[in-house]
Amino acid sequence: MMSGFRIFSRASIGGLVVSLPVALSACGTTAALPDPLAAGWLEKPVCERLHESKRQRILRCSFPPGVGHERHFHAPHFGYTLKGGLMRITDSGGAREVEIDEGVSFSSDGIDWHEVLNIGDTSAQFLIIEAKE
């Protein structure tokens, strides 16, 4: 079973700046879901592969306003917010709105499933670094 996110930086939620330890529960459907590169939005990709070797994969995922990321899983990874935004994140714990500031970094031991939608009026962009070994 994969555990959830651990946010290293701080983000603003509803105008309050707080640390974001976000627990994401397991649902056991990882094998049937796409990874972040394969998952898209309305049959269009939202992530691009910047680098891949036998040891790591680096993705940049971009979300203009109104664009999301269909349900997918994540292997263990480190992430960094290149451009922040207001995102609706849905997982087995329900849906929540999170204002993620630029420069926020996060780490995860893996996510069984989640989906996101940019509900703000600015584009959001994230860098995802996955270890492959």
Side-chain angles (χ1 to χ4, degrees):
M1 179 183 308
M2 296 182 191
S3 61
F5 271 122
R6 188 177 56 182
I7 301 291
F8 288 126
S9 294
R10 296 168 10 146
S12 172
I13 301 175
L16 299 173
V17 177
V18 297
S19 294
L20 281 177
V22 180
L24 300 176
S25 301
C27 72
T29 62
T30 298
L33 294 175
D35 72 3
L37 183 61
W41 184 253
L42 302 177
E43 299 184 22
K44 294 182 182 175
V46 294
C47 296
E48 64 180 304
R49 182 185 353 244
L50 299 178
H51 171 78
E52 186 162 5
S53 69
K54 65 181 180 179
R55 297 181 60 195
Q56 69 179 356
R57 181 170 79 163
I58 302 172
L59 307 175
R60 178 175 47 213
C61 302
S62 302
F63 304 97
V67 171
H69 208 180
E70 67 189 24
R71 187 176 290 204
H72 61 283
F73 77 94
H74 282 273
H77 64 279
F78 170 83
Y80 182 80
T81 306
L82 298 168
K83 296 179 185 174
L86 180 60
M87 306 297 285
R88 178 177 299 127
I89 302 170
T90 304
D91 57 29
S92 62
R96 63 198 169 282
E97 296 179 2
V98 179
E99 180 74 36
I100 304 173
D101 295 327
E102 185 173 309
V104 170
S105 61
F106 49 92
S107 177
S108 172
D109 292 330
I111 299 171
D112 286 318
W113 76 270
H114 77 171
E115 54 194 36
V116 300
L117 175 63
N118 182 346
I119 59 174
D121 57 4
T122 61
S123 290
Q125 192 173 71
F126 303 91
L127 190 65
I128 304 294
I129 302 168
E130 303 170 330
K132 293 175 72 176
E133 293 181 356

